[in-house]
Amino acid sequence: GILVTRPLTFRGNRLHVNAQVARGGRLRAALVTADNRPISGFGFDDCREVTGDGIDLEVAWRAGARLPDAVRPRLKFELSRARLFSFWIE
């Protein structure tokens, strides 16, 4: 499934999730603009897959784990055999 947040205002630059990903599943995240356009370097294909089960799993992209300075971006999560319980940015 896909989950998309409302446009976010945040301080911080690292995305963390509390998630449970079953064997063979994955969780990926993308950063998109408020009007749903992808932010370069932070798409699903750039995201390192999150696997396993944990209350503090860091999400990272090939460009690095630090979130870019974007004006009110949305987070878009892609879940396959996974549960997302919460996310936060620090």
Side-chain angles (χ1 to χ4, degrees):
I2 299 284
L3 176 132
V4 182
T5 68
R6 60 179 167 65
L8 301 173
T9 301
F10 57 85
R11 291 183 190 194
N13 51 30
R14 294 190 182 273
L15 174 62
H16 297 263
V17 296
N18 174 355
Q20 181 182 47
V21 183
R23 177 182 257 172
R26 70 180 182 186
L27 180 150
R28 297 189 302 174
L31 229 56
V32 298
T33 61
D35 58 352
N36 210 30
R37 289 179 304 179
I39 295 174
S40 180
F42 292 88
F44 287 135
D45 292 337
D46 302 307
C47 185
R48 296 188 182 129
E49 293 181 2
V50 175
T51 59
D53 183 4
I55 60 171
D56 187 1
L57 303 170
E58 189 169 355
V59 178
W61 291 266
R62 288 184 205 146
R66 297 177 61 88
L67 297 175
D69 294 326
V71 179
R72 295 185 45 88
R74 292 178 188 255
L75 280 169
K76 198 175 203 180
F77 292 96
E78 176 191 61
L79 303 147
S80 174
R81 298 188 55 168
R83 293 179 176 182
L84 176 63
F85 300 107
S86 64
F87 70 89
W88 64 98
I89 297 168
E90 67 175 9

